Amino acid sequence: MAGIGARKGLLMIIVPEKEIAGLIDRKASFDAVEAVFAAMASKDAYNFPVIREAIGHADALYGFKSGFDRKSLALGLKSGGYWPGNEAKGLTNHQSTVILFDADTGKVKALVGGNLLTALRTAAASAVSIKHLAPKGAKVLGMIGAGHQSAFQMRAAAEQRDFEKVIGWNFHPEMLSRLAETATELGLPFEEATLEQIGTEADVIISITSSHDPILLDAHVKGGTHIACMGTDTKGKQEVEATLVARASVFTDEIAQSVTIGECQHAVREGLLYDINITELGAVINGTHKGRTSEDELTLFDGTGVGLQDLAVASAAVDLAIKKGVAIEVDF
Ligand code: NAD
């Protein structure tokens, strides 16, 4: 947009939630997340400690995820949380907004709607893990969870391997239609499955639920599967049995989050896994860790969701909004 370069530093850019869908696609999200995972592993980017509080009002959980990427100069935070009463008001229960700051001056640079971005960056994270860790010949995608995020997860995963079918399980079976419809949209057959079937047949399993108890058990999983555990992002949540985590070669976005709020928290607490046995996915992207070493290896990605993912996709959205002339400029 004309004038932005000349007045750089004076204007704040606003990218409203309604514009995000027209700006950033799965490829742009994938590239942004892959790059920032790599920057984290090379210590060019780091996340600040997560704040998450029950505020004692509207039953809401509110918090901040933040960080700084010295490579891209993305600095800022995602603020938001979960308001369970929103649906009755016609609003999304999860609410997120990203604020970006100029790394040279500290001045606010952009305010970006973060709801769709959260789904895109979360799906991109598991897709990056599938690209780098799943068996090359993976044919069956297993989905555990059929909530809002699950469709985003399936679409992003489907771009990483030549899957021939999707099988799925959900705690609330009436929600499985979301998985069936998404698979149809992707031109893939869908079958409802038991957890035993998913553990035996699926080459890649994505778990994306709000469960607080293990769903996928050690005994369920046979063979060289890749499991992306994406639902556990808070202390107390759990999707996978701790012994299954301990049996796998474990990768994560960030080790500090993995052992405290991620899927690994349980295996670590039970003394089955130590942080030195967990590898940042970025190390595989950078080529400093070999990742999967055989088709029989069980790999597990603990996708806890880091602030830098949010900053990466929000920065991409801001660049695209400027390029496409839909960025709102405010003298701030
Ligand atoms: P949603 O509310 O739309 O769906 C919830 C899902 O969890 C459904 O499949 C539901 O059937 C299942 N579920 C609910 N209670 C359960 C139980 N007791 N046992 C097993 N399954 C149960 O939620 P969503 O937006 O799809 O998000 C799913 C999860 O992903 C949430 O826990 C959310 O916090 C998490 N999440 C993680 C990241 C990340 O970066 N890792 C990002 C966004 C969301």
Side-chain angles (χ1 to χ4, degrees):
M1 182 175 278
I4 280 211
R7 289 175 290 161
K8 187 177 179 294
L10 294 175
L11 295 170
M12 180 177 83
I13 303 289
I14 298 177
V15 187
E17 183 68 43
K18 66 179 168 59
E19 299 291 352
I20 300 293
L23 290 173
I24 184 160
D25 58 10
R26 283 195 294 280
K27 164 97 174 73
S29 307
F30 183 99
D31 291 346
V33 169
E34 189 179 47
V36 84
F37 281 173
M40 282 164 57
S42 60
K43 307 294 176 217
D44 288 306
Y46 62 106
N47 295 287
F48 308 150
V50 174
I51 306 283
R52 200 166 163 87
E53 296 287 330
I55 59 171
H57 178 78
D59 231 358
L61 272 179
Y62 175 67
F64 303 99
K65 285 188 168 181
S66 55
F68 178 47
D69 182 347
R70 267 191 294 266
K71 264 195 170 162
S72 69
L73 297 186
L75 172 70
L77 58 89
K78 178 170 84 170
S79 159
Y82 188 74
W83 274 259
N86 274 6
E87 214 169 311
K89 299 174 188 163
L91 296 168
T92 312
N93 287 358
H94 288 275
Q95 288 295 328
S96 303
T97 307
V98 180
I99 309 176
L100 298 172
F101 297 91
D102 185 319
D104 295 318
T105 62
K107 253 187 84 59
V108 68
K109 191 170 149 186
L111 192 63
V112 188
N115 291 348
L116 177 58
L117 285 181
T118 298
L120 289 170
R121 66 76 146 146
T122 306
S126 60
V128 171
S129 86
I130 293 166
K131 173 184 169 185
H132 291 279
L133 295 171
K136 291 278 176 273
K139 296 288 177 219
V140 180
L141 173 63
M143 295 292 308
I144 297 175
H148 178 69
Q149 303 291 332
S150 64
F152 292 89
Q153 291 285 326
M154 196 197 296
R155 290 185 194 113
E159 287 168 347
Q160 298 309 317
R161 291 293 184 269
D162 290 326
F163 290 112
E164 291 174 354
K165 72 170 172 178
V166 182
I167 57 178
W169 179 92
N170 195 48
F171 186 72
H172 303 99
E174 67 278 11
M175 292 170 75
L176 281 170
S177 56
R178 177 182 267 126
L179 297 184
E181 281 159 22
T182 311
T184 303
E185 168 197 315
L186 296 167
L188 291 168
F190 174 77
E191 287 167 21
E192 181 177 351
T194 62
L195 291 163
E196 287 82 356
Q197 282 170 320
I198 290 180
T200 310
E201 291 177 29
D203 305 297
V204 173
I205 301 173
I206 297 174
S207 61
I208 182 77
T209 73
S210 47
S211 175
H212 281 69
D213 296 297
I215 301 170
L216 189 68
L217 304 182
D218 197 358
H220 291 151
V221 180
K222 312 260 181 342
T225 316
H226 174 64
I227 307 172
C229 298
M230 303 306 299
T232 299
D233 56 358
T234 305
K235 197 163 184 241
K237 283 188 187 171
Q238 185 172 14
E239 300 188 292
V240 163
E241 193 174 19
T243 50
L244 176 57
V245 176
R247 179 159 68 87
S249 302
V250 182
F251 300 82
T252 189
D253 41 25
E254 192 199 72
I255 293 168
Q257 283 198 189
S258 170
V259 301
T260 50
I261 60 171
E263 194 61 46
C264 289
Q265 62 181 289
H266 308 283
V268 168
R269 199 192 57 244
E270 291 174 33
L272 301 170
L273 180 73
Y274 298 93
D275 53 5
I276 50 162
N277 302 121
I278 305 173
T279 304
E280 284 191 0
L281 181 55
V284 184
I285 299 167
N286 287 336
T288 56
H289 188 285
K290 51 192 177 313
R292 170 177 290 273
T293 52
S294 78
E295 292 287 293
D296 301 333
E297 189 175 353
L298 173 66
T299 53
L300 184 145
F301 173 65
D302 183 4
T304 67
V306 293
L308 281 166
Q309 275 170 266
D310 298 301
L311 306 188
V313 289
S315 299
V318 168
D319 291 346
L320 288 162
I322 292 170
K323 206 166 138 189
K324 294 191 175 179
V326 297
I328 300 168
E329 300 170 25
V330 179
D331 216 340
F332 184 79

